[in-house]
Amino acid sequence: MKAEPLYFAGIDLGSTMTKVVIIDAGERLLSRVESHTGAEHRRLANRVMEEALALAGLPFSEIAYVVATGYGRINVPFADRQITELTCHARGVASLFPGVRTALDIGGQDAKGLKLKDGKLVDFVMNDKCAAGTGRFLEVIARTLGLELAELGSLSLKSANPVSISNTCTVFAQQEVTTRLSDGVPLEDIVAGLHQAIASRAVGMLRQLKIEPEVVFTGGVAKNSGVVKAVRENLGGEVLVPDDPLISGALGAALLGQDILQKAQAKGETVIRQERRLAEATFFQQT
Amino acid sequence: MTAYYLGIDIGSRTSKGVVTGDGRLLACHVLPSGVNYRAAAEKLREALLGKIGLSVSDIAATVATGQGAGNVPFPNEPVTDIRCCARGINGVFPAARTIIDVQAQSSQVIRLNGSGLVTGFVVSEKCAAGSGRFMEVIANVLQVELKDIGPLSLKSKNPVAFSTGCAVFGESEAVSRVAEGSAVEDILAGVHQALADKISALVDRVGMETDCALSGGGGLDTGLIRAVEAKLGVRMLVPPQPQIITALGAAIMAEETRGGH
Amino acid sequence: MTVEKKKRAISRLKSMYPLRALVDGMYKKAVEASKNGEPVAWCMVNWWAGDTVLQAMGVHTVHPEDYGAVCAAFGAAQPYLDRSDSEGFPSHMCGYARNCLGYAALMQDLGEIPPEAPMAGMPKPTLLLGSGYFCDTRYKWFQALGRYLDAPMWVLEMPHPGVPESRIEGNREHNIRFLVEELRELIGFLEKQLDRKMDYVRLGEIVDDTIEMNRVWHEVNELRKARPCPMHSRDFWSSMPASLYMASDPRVTAGLYRDMYDEVKSRVDNHTGAVPEEKYRVAFAELPPWHSLGFFNQLAERGWNFVIESWAYHPPKPVDLSGLSDPLERIAGLTYQYFSGYFEDAFQAGDGWGYFAHPYLEMVREYRCDGILLHPLLTCRTATNHLTVVQNQLMEQLKVPSLVVEGDIVDLNLFNPAEALRKAETFEETMQHYRAVRKEAGFDW
Amino acid sequence: MATGLNRVAEIYADRAARVTELKAGGKRIIGYLDIFPVVEMLTALDLVPYRLLGDLNEPITRADAYLPTVVCPFLRSVMDLGLKGKYDFLDGVVFAHGCEVSEKMAHIWRTYLHPPYAHFIDTPHTTHQAARKQHRELLKDFQKTLEEMTGQELTAEKLREAVNIHNRQRVLVRELYDLRKPDPPLISGAETVRVMVAVASLPVTEGNELLEQVIGEIKGRKDGPAPKPARLIVWGSIIDNTALVDLVESLGANVVMDDTTVGSRDYFPLVEITDDPRDGLADRYLVALRSPRTFRETVPDGNRRKDYMADLESRFGYLKDYAREWQVNGVILQVLRYCDIHGYEVPALKDYLESIGLPGIYLEHDYSKVALAQLRTRVQAFLEIIG
Ligand SMILES: Nc1ncnc2c1ncn2[C@@H]1O[C@H](COP(=O)(O)OP(=O)(O)O)[C@@H](O)[C@H]1O
Ligand SMILES: Nc1ncnc2c1ncn2[C@@H]1O[C@H](COP(=O)(O)OP(=O)(O)O)[C@@H](O)[C@H]1O
Ligand code: SF4
Ligand code: SF4
Ligand code: SF4
């Protein structure tokens, strides 16, 4: 009997960033790749996968199970299973911070609150109708200000006097920001104000789930130290951020793949898998 | 001697100015509001006076309106844009009883009487997906000039249905659609329909009485006009320069306030 | 309440302050009483009916509804609202309820009144008294409090007269009977819970004083028909809780309303208005944005006088109940009058929209209003449901326009004062227009 | 051929078809809103009760000028259909004090749509003795206006007969629901919704025939739903359309039970036949119907203290029975936006579900297809939670 290759891949086809993670059976991270989802990449999830495989030095056939998650999960043709980003993030968070019960994830297109019990997702809230309060808000503003996303955090930490932006709508806030700048308001105060706005929205949403400290903060926006600080202030408590907050969903996906396989093996069931062939993915649901 | 009146409309995107005299429109001017409303107002006045060779002292009265009215640095009477818009349309189409005013930041529906007095109104939420800004955002990302969006949209046979009600997410959706092969005109037409839906919901809240006029920068967009007409099932009266209607109304108000003296 | 530094555009009545103080004093009294082991009820306004009974049985009351307004006015509501959200209550529910649920949850955590609670706070209740009238919130909210409080709950039921069915023969009688029996069942519940007996003689006195208190209060409001109107809605709102919540011995309260009557009367005699120059007489519906009352000062500076507000917070039109010997029947009569006296017109007109919207026609006509400010609340169905009908009917029947300004009673984030002012400014023109329209149509204002 | 289910599909697609036929044949059709109007009294006078429902596929446009946007979107939809003339065929309407907004809408409806006959029953909110008595009186008032309208006397005889036919319907509905107990269920959740909506659109005897036919067919069918890991109960605001259930079932679950109207909530309790049939009716509608809009005492007799868990048990205990009998492993708490009646219940119900170890998910939606589509990820995540 041929031994199963024990590598697992998780692909998180997010609205903004596509993340791929490959782990081995010991939950060791063999490779991680991130790439802008961007319009043209939306159809090309396979490229990112290819890159991750190359980095891990593995042929695709060696991957025992592929789980796709994220906004575009439905259309990753080579995935063995699609699992929602809620479950995947929870799994990722549980592995990174065992015992944690509340998590906040702010990505490009939504913000989510997760409630965990014994390492499993038990409840959640989600905000995905309006770009205000999501990573997209910060992207738009960064673009307006001609700043890199990565700069926003450290810049805002310099502010002693965050200004509040009166427009909630991302589009109008963008314009308000330019006006404020021309009024001579320091850049860092504006950025800090925006971070506060995002944080207070997110924490407001998170409150719908009785918050039990400590809170883990993941998703691309958790890379922004300014938002992290604002979330911490808003919660009035400690906030844990993983070293690599972007990949918690992809990591969770890979781990879930492992779980699925193990469970099946324990029951002696065979698992149905896709052909290991990279193909184009589209972003919108095919009708 | 002719008395001249100045109407200034400092909108969130564009500033519009009008000079009237003897009840006639003598000059108008449109420029981007930019980030400094004060400067925009100054420049606007300068340009207007320059066009007809008048000086500041020739202006008998000024009414300022719009989002940035509070920043106009020279003496003026502030009046809300809703009132000015109604007066402006009344000046052009006395039979109009309903106005759909599509500005950059919001859309509003105004009911008015034969004298241009506001008899009812409703203002949209401040969400870019319900205002002219949605068009700008999409035009920008599709690299289409604003003036071309109308004619292009009218060519569409298969408007794209947007899966989101947010202008920002709509922007990325538009990009993806293009990447997946949708035609630009179909995307534009899709946005026009989405906007027309929001506008029609507003109209339902105050009720519509014909004739119905369309003003504001949105009136420059034939695609939007047709979409609104299709949705409401009535023909729109659209003034030749829809964007300056509110400024025109402001000038008319300036004349009214001083008229008697 | 909020401190206003500038010289006020609204000249407030001096006689209002002691009335407001009565209500504010309730909290302190209830906290004291609770410390002394006396029973305290958290009480929904079932208007006079339940409160008279409670007072006669020596139960202290606080009114979480009023407390919602207090917290809003003190700017203290946010933490309670947040807490309610985190308990899983949808945020589009009643601001008063969210405030109270958050407060109760916090109080349960702390085991005591939250230290930053405005006034003296609401002490832990012995009883929860909800009501089946006016809104579903009034019993669903109290029922939901069961998560945090172990006080037993009673819902006082009331019929909804004022609809066309009230004219069916025998309907009035069985409705009154229902009210009386309901009150009896409530008394039975209280007697069992508190181990004391109702003193019907005392109840009789309280009921009579209540009827009288409401009569005087009604007369005060009648004076507001004068031009210029001597009393602004803000004074009404500050004074109304004293009657609605039975803040004190109704005899004492009646005395204070009498003082108010005198002050208002002297203003009428001297043609003194509540605002310096009354350009627009405006009615208000329904509940005000308690957190942003300064908005009314800004409007007053523009000549807006708020001369009358929703009937629902007004006392019943005076009615002679002296022929009824049973105090419970007198309460029932008063309550019935409250829910039907304002609708005589509706009955005459055979109008189906009767009790909840029709009185606005009378109000606007008698107080000669130029317009009405409608304040739909995102969180309250009761105060919002009928506003579009009110708007349509005022226009159709009286040619009086409505200004719609969305907001909330407690949640500050839902009200935008700058936008509200822009709309108000525009609306002045609309009011002027309809003055002319009314004149043409033969109306006399 | 599954003629019963076909008939169901036809009526579901065009609810008014059959009653307009009947109307052409001289029958009078009376609309009623929510579950509190006592329909037996209509049937007894040979009036056809016809449930007022909304239309999730029809955008709400006209209702905005009559009902504000911050009220129950289902009721706004009903009002909208009314304003668009979709209920013009009705010979009258009966409303009750179901919830705050439905009560107000009753008055708004009669103000603007001028139905030839309208009656509002001010159903009390409590089950106190006084309230029960009051409810009986209210039914007498109702009887008066009905007799006046029809010119006929509503005898105890006729009423008893009507009660029997309606009770028969309730028994049949229970039989139908029993077919959801096996795994896989013999009838899907979406099919059940269609059957229930169809039944609410027919005169009661025809509804009974249809139910019998459908039950017969389903018992013998081979093409029922496939087994799925999740067996769910849907609790909450009205469901008069398959959209939500379809969504849930398309994602890998069988909806095997409901606690909503149009469903078990309005059909399960029977009417007790009493000497004066009105007494049994009054109690059934006020006391036996299990709706969160009816308040029940929180203190067991003789107790001074309230026990929260006991209160939960008395409010939600029946759900435990449902869960056991229908082998349910998850609960969808779905609430229409701005529905206070159900909104206030959510935290308490979640407490209860936790205490009996049933996972639940709260979904708020606004009675539109777009809003439902946005729930997809949430539902999917919940199914993953159930695992
Ligand atoms: N280096 C960075 N510094 C700060 N923020 C970042 C950085 N990279 C990404 N982000 C933020 O993360 C968001 C994307 O987060 P992600 O969790 O990948 O979302 P999604 O899964 O929807 O694509 C972006 O919108 C951006 O705001
Ligand atoms: N040439 C054009 N063709 C089509 N649409 C236009 C054109 N110019 C402006 N617009 C539309 O008009 C809007 C601006 O309207 P305007 O009334 O000037 O707004 P504001 O007063 O808020 O600045 C833009 O957002 C855009 O949608
Ligand atoms: S407010 Fe702005 S960010 Fe929010 S949905 Fe509307 S357009 Fe999008
Ligand atoms: S009437 Fe409105 S504000 Fe008052 S308790 Fe009811 S829901 Fe709350
Ligand atoms: S869903 Fe809620 S608000 Fe709507 S009718 Fe039912 S109980 Fe009333």
Side-chain angles (χ1 to χ4, degrees):
Chain A
M1 202 177 76
K2 193 168 153 278
E4 284 282 343
L6 288 176
Y7 300 107
F8 304 93
I11 173 163
D12 178 358
L13 189 55
S15 64
T16 314
M17 306 288 285
T18 297
K19 286 90 37 178
V20 178
V21 154
I22 298 177
I23 58 168
D24 66 13
E27 302 194 4
R28 220 155 42 91
L29 190 67
L30 300 185
S31 70
R32 70 172 288 293
V33 173
E34 65 176 83
S35 158
H36 279 281
T37 302
E40 63 282 15
H41 284 152
R42 289 179 186 218
R43 318 181 62 187
L44 301 171
N46 54 350
R47 271 217 194 129
V48 199
M49 188 70 210
E50 237 170 87
E51 213 178 301
L53 288 167
L55 261 176
L58 292 169
F60 201 8
S61 58
E62 287 283 292
I63 306 292
Y65 210 75
V66 184
V67 169
T69 186
Y71 194 73
R73 66 180 178 282
I74 323 151
N75 298 309
V76 180
F78 53 79
D80 299 311
R81 180 93 157 243
Q82 285 84 26
I83 299 182
T84 62
E85 49 273 38
L86 292 145
T87 302
C88 290
H89 276 288
R91 182 67 180 88
V93 166
S95 121
L96 295 167
F97 300 98
V100 152
R101 312 195 56 168
T102 314
L104 171 67
D105 180 276
I106 311 183
Q109 184 145 326
D110 58 25
K112 307 182 261 289
L114 309 172
K115 196 81 200 179
L116 293 90
K117 203 173 160 187
D118 305 326
K120 291 192 70 177
L121 181 67
V122 289
D123 205 355
F124 55 83
V125 280
M126 229 177 140
N127 176 5
D128 59 359
K129 290 201 186 85
C130 168
T134 68
R136 181 60 49 83
F137 180 69
L138 292 176
E139 285 176 53
V140 169
I141 300 291
R143 202 190 333 156
T144 311
L145 298 174
L147 293 170
E148 289 296 319
L149 267 177
E151 295 174 71
L152 292 179
S154 50
L155 182 67
S156 74
L157 294 181
K158 290 190 204 138
S159 162
N161 224 345
V163 294
S164 75
I165 299 296
S166 61
N167 280 295
T168 7
C169 177
T170 309
V171 180
F172 301 137
Q174 178 188 11
Q175 196 179 334
E176 188 178 343
V177 161
T178 359
T179 314
R180 288 304 187 99
L181 267 183
S182 75
D183 288 349
V185 177
L187 191 55
E188 61 265 26
D189 290 349
I190 293 175
V191 177
L194 296 165
H195 289 162
Q196 283 191 349
I198 288 224
S200 87
R201 265 180 98 105
V203 172
M205 176 202 67
L206 194 61
R207 273 190 217 289
Q208 292 170 33
L209 305 167
K210 219 173 172 89
I211 297 169
E212 289 174 271
E214 293 126 338
V215 174
V216 172
F217 182 13
T218 61
V221 175
K223 290 174 78 166
N224 180 322
S225 52
V227 180
V228 174
K229 174 169 176 270
V231 166
R232 189 172 287 139
E233 283 166 3
N234 242 286
L235 278 171
E238 196 39 53
V239 172
L240 305 171
V241 181
D243 297 334
D244 195 350
L246 200 64
I247 61 155
S248 58
L251 176 65
L255 289 166
L256 283 166
Q258 188 178 23
D259 296 348
I260 290 168
L261 211 63
Q262 279 172 355
K263 216 193 251 167
Q265 278 167 347
K267 284 195 200 156
E269 290 167 1
T270 45
V271 195
I272 302 158
R273 287 186 296 171
Q274 296 293 314
E275 210 182 315
R276 289 282 170 261
R277 197 166 50 110
L278 293 172
E280 285 198 345
T282 147
F283 200 63
F284 293 95
Q285 208 188 329
Q286 276 149 347
T287 41
Chain B
M1 204 189 89
T2 309
Y4 299 98
Y5 299 94
L6 179 59
I8 297 265
D9 171 17
I10 310 293
S12 72
R13 290 303 273 180
T14 52
S15 293
K16 283 80 54 177
V18 156
V19 177
T20 58
D22 291 335
R24 283 185 315 127
L25 175 68
L26 300 177
C28 68
H29 193 71
V30 181
L31 51 78
S33 297
V35 292
N36 188 338
Y37 292 157
R38 290 177 66 91
E42 295 271 20
K43 271 217 299 246
L44 195 57
R45 181 168 69 164
E46 222 169 278
L48 282 165
L49 294 177
K51 276 189 181 174
I52 42 174
L54 293 177
S55 76
V56 173
S57 54
D58 295 324
I59 301 295
T62 301
V63 160
T65 189
Q67 152 120 349
N71 304 59
V72 173
F74 42 84
N76 69 81
E77 190 77 35
V79 176
T80 66
D81 58 335
I82 304 171
R83 297 178 65 195
C84 293
C85 181
R87 282 305 193 287
I89 281 291
N90 184 253
V92 186
F93 302 119
R97 290 297 172 270
T98 310
I99 309 169
I100 296 169
D101 184 35
V102 182
Q103 306 181 356
Q105 221 171 44
S106 66
S107 304
Q108 35 206 21
V109 180
I110 307 167
R111 299 277 303 268
L112 71 166
N113 67 9
S115 333
L117 291 179
V118 177
T119 62
F121 57 91
V122 43
V123 182
S124 75
E125 271 179 73
K126 287 230 159 69
C127 165
S131 72
R133 265 316 276 280
F134 197 8
M135 294 316 306
E136 287 183 60
V137 168
I138 298 297
N140 180 43
V141 73
L142 298 178
Q143 301 187 331
V144 177
E145 283 200 45
L146 265 185
K147 65 175 176 44
D148 297 332
I149 54 177
L152 257 176
S153 157
L154 293 180
K155 288 196 200 137
S156 164
K157 298 260 170 326
N158 268 322
V160 160
F162 275 77
S163 72
T164 164
C166 170
V168 182
F169 295 151
E171 178 183 4
S172 12
E173 197 167 334
V175 173
S176 314
R177 295 289 184 185
V178 171
E180 304 212 331
S182 293
V184 167
E185 61 256 33
D186 291 339
I187 295 171
L188 289 172
V191 183
H192 281 137
Q193 282 189 352
L195 208 49
D197 285 349
K198 297 228 166 175
I199 288 170
S200 124
L202 274 186
V203 170
D204 285 330
R205 278 170 53 195
V206 276
M208 186 178 57
E209 193 186 333
T210 49
D211 298 349
C212 187
L214 204 146
S215 72
L220 294 168
D221 185 343
T222 43
L224 180 65
I225 299 170
R226 292 290 111 60
V228 171
E229 286 179 337
K231 182 83 200 169
L232 296 177
V234 291
R235 276 201 65 80
M236 293 288 133
L237 301 174
V238 185
Q241 289 168 295
Q243 211 171 8
I244 62 153
I245 287 297
T246 301
L248 172 66
I252 295 174
M253 300 273 303
E255 193 154 356
E256 270 174 28
T257 45
R258 288 302 155 94
H261 306 273
Chain C
M1 317 299 296
T2 42
V3 201
E4 290 141 21
K5 276 161 237 119
K6 273 197 307 187
K7 188 183 163 340
R8 291 199 188 95
I10 304 170
S11 69
R12 307 292 301 261
L13 294 168
K14 285 189 195 58
S15 50
M16 168 273 293
Y17 296 99
L19 280 161
R20 180 70 234 183
L22 268 192
V23 180
D24 295 351
M26 285 178 89
Y27 298 99
K28 205 175 276 166
K29 276 203 303 206
V31 169
E32 283 302 311
S34 167
K35 279 190 192 134
N36 299 332
E38 288 170 47
V40 176
W42 284 14
C43 204
M44 274 321 280
V45 182
N46 18 76
W47 292 178
W48 314 275
D51 294 332
T52 36
V53 165
L54 287 168
Q55 197 164 81
M57 289 199 73
V59 180
H60 292 264
T61 55
V62 287
H63 296 79
E65 235 187 334
D66 180 62
Y67 199 63
V70 167
C71 290
F74 271 78
Q78 202 56 49
Y80 304 139
L81 298 178
D82 287 348
R83 180 59 191 264
S84 163
D85 290 354
S86 73
E87 294 293 305
F89 292 102
S91 59
H92 53 69
M93 294 186 334
C94 170
Y96 294 155
R98 288 167 62 217
N99 183 73
C100 177
L101 287 161
Y103 176 91
L106 202 62
M107 183 162 77
Q108 188 198 28
D109 286 357
L110 300 171
E112 59 183 27
I113 294 173
E116 72 292 350
M119 296 292 169
M122 295 193 294
K124 195 168 172 298
T126 332
L127 298 166
L128 292 171
L129 185 66
S131 91
Y133 197 80
F134 263 138
C135 69
D136 299 331
T137 297
R138 275 159 212 265
Y139 61 102
K140 293 312 291 178
W141 154 18
F142 272 40
Q143 192 176 33
L145 281 171
R147 296 185 92 208
Y148 317 106
L149 304 167
D150 56 9
M153 172 178 174
W154 186 265
V155 173
L156 182 65
E157 185 71 86
M158 281 185 223
H160 288 217
V163 293
E165 284 70 21
S166 316
R167 290 160 72 91
I168 296 173
E169 202 191 315
N171 180 283
R172 181 193 157 92
E173 290 69 26
H174 74 70
N175 271 324
I176 297 247
R177 226 170 23 242
F178 174 36
L179 265 162
V180 170
E181 283 173 26
E182 259 300 296
L183 287 165
R184 259 201 200 105
E185 284 200 49
L186 167 66
I187 292 169
F189 168 79
L190 293 172
E191 290 182 334
K192 196 149 105 191
Q193 287 296 330
L194 304 173
D195 247 338
R196 31 173 105 148
K197 284 275 161 226
M198 169 59 97
D199 176 350
Y200 281 93
V201 177
R202 176 77 190 113
L203 178 63
E205 290 164 12
I206 291 176
V207 171
D208 290 340
D209 292 343
T210 302
I211 294 169
E212 171 62 8
M213 167 185 83
N214 281 308
R215 191 195 61 79
V216 183
W217 183 213
H218 176 81
E219 293 306 321
V220 173
N221 287 295
E222 287 291 295
L223 292 174
R224 297 168 68 192
K225 290 175 183 166
R227 259 173 198 274
C229 170
M231 173 177 165
H232 190 275
S233 291
R234 287 206 55 191
D235 281 331
F236 175 85
W237 290 321
S238 301
S239 321
M240 75 178 185
S243 77
L244 289 185
Y245 306 136
M246 294 284 292
S248 171
D249 186 331
R251 195 169 295 176
V252 175
T253 315
L256 295 178
Y257 281 129
R258 240 172 250 123
D259 296 344
M260 181 170 267
Y261 183 90
D262 294 340
E263 185 180 0
V264 176
K265 185 73 174 47
S266 83
R267 281 195 183 179
V268 173
D269 295 343
N270 297 319
H271 302 288
T272 310
V275 305
E277 191 194 348
E278 182 178 280
K279 284 199 211 144
Y280 307 101
R281 294 173 65 88
V282 188
F284 187 90
E286 283 271 334
L287 289 162
W290 296 112
H291 42 74
S292 306
L293 291 174
F295 176 58
F296 292 93
N297 294 2
Q298 286 175 297
L299 292 180
E301 280 164 20
R302 304 184 60 89
W304 292 48
N305 201 358
F306 281 83
V307 301
I308 188 73
E309 39 315 278
S310 334
W311 66 273
Y313 311 97
H314 279 263
K317 292 186 172 178
V319 54
D320 181 15
L321 300 165
S322 56
L324 303 169
S325 58
D326 181 349
L328 296 183
E329 279 184 29
R330 295 206 291 283
I331 305 178
L334 184 70
T335 306
Y336 195 92
Q337 167 68 1
Y338 167 69
F339 289 121
S340 59
Y342 286 103
F343 319 112
E344 269 315 310
D345 282 4
F347 287 150
Q348 300 308 330
D351 242 332
W353 51 297
Y355 78 92
F356 64 98
H358 202 108
Y360 285 94
L361 285 180
E362 180 181 332
M363 211 166 93
V364 162
R365 202 190 311 114
E366 296 207 336
Y367 288 78
R368 296 160 168 267
C369 297
D370 296 300
I372 184 166
L373 183 90
L374 307 177
H375 183 223
L377 309 176
L378 291 173
T379 62
C380 169
R381 263 39 78 198
T382 304
T384 303
N385 271 321
H386 55 293
L387 294 182
T388 38
V389 179
V390 170
Q391 178 174 11
N392 298 344
Q393 296 290 332
L394 284 177
M395 180 51 69
E396 249 168 58
Q397 307 203 23
L398 300 178
K399 305 291 170 219
V400 170
S402 307
L403 171 65
V404 183
V405 176
E406 284 93 3
D408 192 50
I409 34 180
V410 180
D411 201 335
L412 181 64
N413 301 322
L414 300 175
F415 183 74
N416 178 346
E419 179 73 9
L421 209 60
R422 176 168 88 104
K423 289 182 175 178
E425 231 179 290
T426 306
F427 187 64
E428 289 171 2
E429 180 166 301
T430 305
M431 289 193 283
Q432 281 160 13
H433 164 73
Y434 281 101
R435 255 182 210 158
V437 171
R438 280 196 303 278
K439 188 167 269 171
E440 210 164 286
F443 291 97
D444 62 355
W445 81 99
Chain D
M1 206 181 81
T3 50
L5 284 175
N6 284 347
R7 177 96 181 106
V8 164
E10 271 170 37
I11 303 173
Y12 179 80
D14 184 3
R15 285 188 62 220
R18 178 59 186 148
V19 284
T20 34
E21 247 172 59
L22 288 166
K23 188 179 163 81
K27 289 269 186 198
R28 285 204 267 183
I29 321 293
I30 305 293
Y32 66 97
L33 188 68
D34 72 40
I35 60 175
F36 297 95
V38 179
V39 288
E40 285 85 343
M41 296 174 70
L42 299 173
T43 302
L45 285 169
D46 201 27
L47 301 165
V48 178
Y50 181 79
R51 178 115 181 221
L52 297 177
L53 296 175
D55 183 353
L56 188 115
N57 296 308
E58 167 85 34
I60 299 173
T61 50
R62 298 278 321 272
D64 283 337
Y66 302 87
L67 270 172
T69 46
V70 295
V71 305
C72 169
F74 157 73
L75 289 172
R76 280 164 41 79
S77 173
V78 178
M79 188 72 212
D80 194 62
L81 296 182
L83 289 160
K84 286 171 179 162
K86 303 262 166 81
Y87 283 119
D88 282 357
F89 62 86
L90 294 175
D91 297 291
V93 272
V94 184
F95 301 101
H97 199 148
C99 64
E100 172 64 27
V101 187
S102 77
E103 180 244 338
K104 292 298 185 293
M105 198 192 96
H107 307 309
I108 295 173
W109 185 288
R110 57 181 171 195
T111 303
Y112 291 101
L113 298 176
H114 307 292
Y117 165 84
H119 188 92
F120 167 71
I121 304 172
D122 185 14
T123 319
H125 298 85
T126 62
T127 57
H128 303 159
Q129 284 308 326
R132 292 187 189 193
K133 221 164 113 189
Q134 164 78 348
H135 196 218
R136 290 176 190 186
E137 295 294 337
L138 290 166
L139 296 194
K140 288 183 197 157
D141 290 348
F142 181 31
Q143 177 173 349
K144 278 182 203 154
T145 65
L146 281 176
E147 287 176 341
E148 197 177 302
M149 183 227 333
T150 56
Q152 286 181 40
E153 193 193 339
L154 179 62
T155 61
E157 196 50 46
K158 287 184 197 163
L159 195 50
R160 217 168 283 129
E161 204 176 302
V163 168
N164 279 325
I165 312 175
H166 280 272
N167 270 349
R168 169 80 189 134
Q169 182 152 90
R170 292 168 186 136
V171 170
L172 286 168
V173 167
R174 219 180 239 274
E175 257 179 58
L176 181 77
Y177 273 58
D178 282 343
L179 303 178
R180 308 172 79 180
K181 285 179 178 171
D183 191 29
L186 299 180
I187 176 169
S188 74
E191 285 170 326
T192 312
V193 171
R194 274 195 286 272
V195 176
M196 297 310 294
V197 168
V199 167
S201 320
L202 293 175
V204 60
T205 40
E206 288 187 28
N208 289 355
E209 283 158 22
L210 183 61
L211 276 166
E212 279 166 10
Q213 198 179 2
V214 166
I215 290 168
E217 273 166 27
I218 285 174
K219 276 184 177 157
R221 86 199 288 197
K222 297 272 175 301
D223 58 346
K228 290 175 191 162
R231 292 176 58 90
L232 306 179
I233 175 170
V234 176
W235 170 93
S237 302
I238 185 167
I239 291 190
D240 63 351
N241 189 290
T242 56
L244 177 76
V245 176
D246 269 336
L247 174 77
V248 174
E249 294 193 323
S250 76
L251 294 173
N254 278 315
V255 172
V256 297
M257 187 49 189
D258 60 61
D259 178 25
T260 58
T261 84
V262 185
S264 77
R265 196 182 280 173
D266 32 346
Y267 284 90
F268 273 22
L270 297 178
V271 176
E272 199 185 317
I273 313 268
T274 45
D275 288 346
D276 181 342
R278 288 174 305 193
D279 296 350
L281 283 167
D283 278 359
R284 188 262 181 186
Y285 282 87
L286 186 62
V287 186
L289 280 184
R290 286 225 145 254
S291 164
R293 64 70 72 192
T294 307
F295 177 80
R296 284 157 225 274
E297 259 44 79
T298 60
V299 203
D301 233 21
N303 265 353
R304 290 268 169 85
R305 280 269 147 122
K306 171 159 71 186
D307 175 349
Y308 181 51
M309 287 323 287
D311 182 31
L312 290 183
E313 192 61 46
S314 89
R315 279 157 70 191
F316 305 117
Y318 66 100
L319 288 173
K320 188 164 62 186
D321 301 336
Y322 287 172
R324 196 182 321 110
E325 287 179 44
W326 275 267
Q327 293 293 313
V328 163
N329 58 4
V331 184
I332 293 192
L333 293 81
Q334 58 89 30
V335 175
L336 283 172
R337 182 158 311 140
Y338 306 121
C339 169
D340 291 333
I341 290 286
H342 291 95
Y344 280 103
E345 214 77 344
V346 170
L349 180 50
K350 277 195 157 186
D351 289 345
Y352 183 71
L353 294 177
E354 203 180 311
S355 80
I356 61 169
L358 255 189
I361 169 98
Y362 168 58
L363 299 178
E364 189 179 285
H365 60 109
D366 64 5
Y367 201 75
S368 74
K369 280 244 157 99
V370 185
L372 286 174
Q374 278 165 340
L375 295 178
R376 171 178 282 270
T377 295
R378 290 167 175 77
V379 172
Q380 227 161 12
F382 176 61
L383 296 179
E384 289 163 4
I385 289 178
I386 300 180

